[in-house]
Amino acid sequence: EIVMTQSPATLYSSPGERVTLSCRASQNIGDTLAWYQHKPGQSPRLLIYGASTRAADVPARFSGSGSGTDFTLTISSLQSEDFALYYCQQYSHWWTFGQGTRVDVK
Amino acid sequence: QLQLRESGPGLVKPSDTLSLTCTVSGGPLTGTLDYWAWIRQSPGKPLEWIATVYYNGNTFYNPALESRVTISIDKSNYQFFLKLGSVTAADTAVYSCARQKDFYYFDFWGQGALVTVSS
């Protein structure tokens, strides 16, 4: 099983700041990586697939990068609605998720 | 806009079978690039993919759960189903259904249904 490790577990930030979330795969997965945003009481929302392709209607402040084993989700200027839980998921071999990074108010 | 909604008992007894239904609205289940999946999250654990079904009935299971899981689909009624047998407390989780695009990532999700395994 490919294990996905996200860091940090919680990231404290303020509106307007640039934030970077990390995701590491236990083996090379190429660019077969997706990112999701999850808010309490809502369905998870697909943000990024193919490591760097934004899903439909996702604001341009969200960007994904990386390949192989190390990946990054960047929010260029944090908005109030971006405080949430973020997951990465690989689809190279079956489908596994990271533990999540919570973006919280500083 | 595609919407998915999980339904089923919120409490299941140990050793019984957990049964859930996902009802899809806003689109067909027969898209050639669309697969339909169940995912769960137990307390303190990452999201875990359980199973996937295609509209033609092809199924794919998490090897760790395969012996206890059945996924099926009723495309004419816009529903797909999960059955998990011989449940234990470790199967207590929020169970979510989702569309799996291109057999890759999950682009539409239900809100999730909490299922507790307890006597």
Side-chain angles (χ1 to χ4, degrees):
Chain A
E1 174 182 304
I2 298 177
V3 177
M4 306 301 293
T5 303
Q6 292 186 242
S7 60
T10 305
L11 192 159
Y12 295 96
S13 188
S14 301
E17 290 186 342
R18 179 184 181 90
V19 299
T20 300
L21 287 64
S22 295
C23 175
R24 174 166 290 179
S26 61
Q27 62 190 73
N28 190 332
I29 61 170
D31 64 354
T32 60
L33 185 99
W35 288 94
Y36 302 86
Q37 178 191 66
H38 194 191
K39 298 179 183 179
Q42 298 185 17
S43 310
R45 176 193 185 191
L46 175 68
L47 296 176
I48 301 284
Y49 60 92
S52 60
T53 302
R54 269 190 302 277
D57 300 326
V58 173
R61 64 180 181 273
F62 291 93
S63 63
S65 63
S67 67
T69 60
D70 291 301
F71 300 87
T72 298
L73 175 70
T74 300
I75 308 173
S76 59
S77 179
L78 197 64
Q79 304 297 301
S80 58
E81 62 267 29
D82 300 336
F83 292 100
L85 193 55
Y86 292 84
Y87 294 105
C88 61
Q89 173 239 326
Q90 67 81 23
Y91 46 94
S92 174
H93 181 69
W94 298 110
W95 303 276
T96 53
F97 294 82
Q99 190 84 339
T101 290
R102 182 175 303 281
V103 177
D104 212 342
V105 180
K106 187 185 292 182
Chain B
Q1 180 82 334
L2 198 70
Q3 292 187 323
L4 296 87
R5 179 173 52 87
E6 305 87 354
S7 59
L11 181 65
V12 180
K13 289 183 167 48
S15 78
D16 281 358
T17 296
L18 179 161
S19 296
L20 291 171
T21 298
C22 183
T23 302
V24 180
S25 58
L29 273 65
T30 54
T32 53
L33 299 179
D34 298 339
Y35 295 73
W36 304 93
W38 287 98
I39 296 157
R40 71 179 182 179
Q41 188 165 32
S42 303
K45 293 193 172 182
L47 290 158
E48 179 181 32
W49 167 75
I50 302 170
T52 294
V53 65
Y54 193 49
Y55 76 89
N56 65 359
N58 285 352
T59 56
F60 308 86
Y61 295 110
N62 185 324
L65 299 168
E66 184 169 12
S67 63
R68 299 193 290 130
V69 175
T70 302
I71 190 172
S72 58
I73 191 165
D74 179 354
K75 51 186 184 291
S76 59
N77 284 313
Y78 298 87
Q79 292 180 322
F80 61 104
F81 311 96
L82 176 72
K83 289 188 184 298
L84 178 65
S86 304
V87 296
T88 69
D91 295 309
T92 293
V94 174
Y95 287 77
S96 298
C97 58
R99 187 176 78 172
Q100 188 172 8
K101 198 68 180 174
D102 296 337
F103 205 48
Y104 292 156
Y105 47 83
F106 306 94
D107 62 345
F108 287 95
W109 297 62
Q111 286 205 343
L114 174 62
V115 179
T116 301
V117 178
S118 175
S119 55

